[in-house]
Amino acid sequence: MPVVTVASREHPRLRELLLAVADAVAGALGLGAGQVIALATPAPLSVTSGDAASAAEASEPRPSGGWAVVTVHGSDRGEPATTRACDAAARAAADWSRSAGVEFEGVWCEWQRPR
């Protein structure tokens, strides 16, 4: 059973993001209802390297536009399946960001196998 973690800014519609990503991964892997778990890892602020210089001019570093980081934890299913799942998860997160009015600079997705 794949477990998906989504690190993103908090949002009132975060549950929708988790459902969209879980459903996208399940669909890409041919899994049914209840066979993918998704959980949120709140990332309320992100900055970019070099923001310390701008902090001298302002009271705080400028927040970046933010990235959604999606990690799928699961057993080895082969490269084609894991690539499909990651691509589907990234598309689902990007689609959600547009519909929710959340600006992501991008979505990073990776598949991690257990050790």
Side-chain angles (χ1 to χ4, degrees):
M1 176 179 295
V3 176
V4 182
T5 58
V6 180
S8 172
R9 288 184 280 174
E10 295 182 38
H11 191 275
R13 293 175 52 191
L14 189 57
R15 184 175 190 277
E16 291 175 27
L17 171 59
L18 294 176
L19 287 169
V21 171
D23 287 346
V25 170
L29 297 175
L31 300 174
Q35 293 186 308
V36 175
I37 297 171
L39 56 104
T41 302
L45 176 68
S46 63
V47 298
T48 58
S49 59
D51 275 351
S54 66
E57 301 165 6
S59 61
E60 295 181 16
R62 297 179 318 254
S64 72
W67 280 74
V69 179
V70 179
T71 307
V72 183
H73 306 266
S75 61
D76 187 354
R77 294 175 182 262
E79 186 64 30
T82 59
T83 297
R84 278 194 317 273
C86 284
D87 289 349
R91 275 193 310 276
D95 291 347
W96 175 86
S97 74
R98 285 188 291 277
S99 73
V102 174
E103 184 180 333
F104 287 152
E105 288 182 42
V107 178
W108 178 273
C109 185
E110 65 182 342
W111 185 284
Q112 288 192 348
R113 294 183 321 199
R115 295 182 191 210

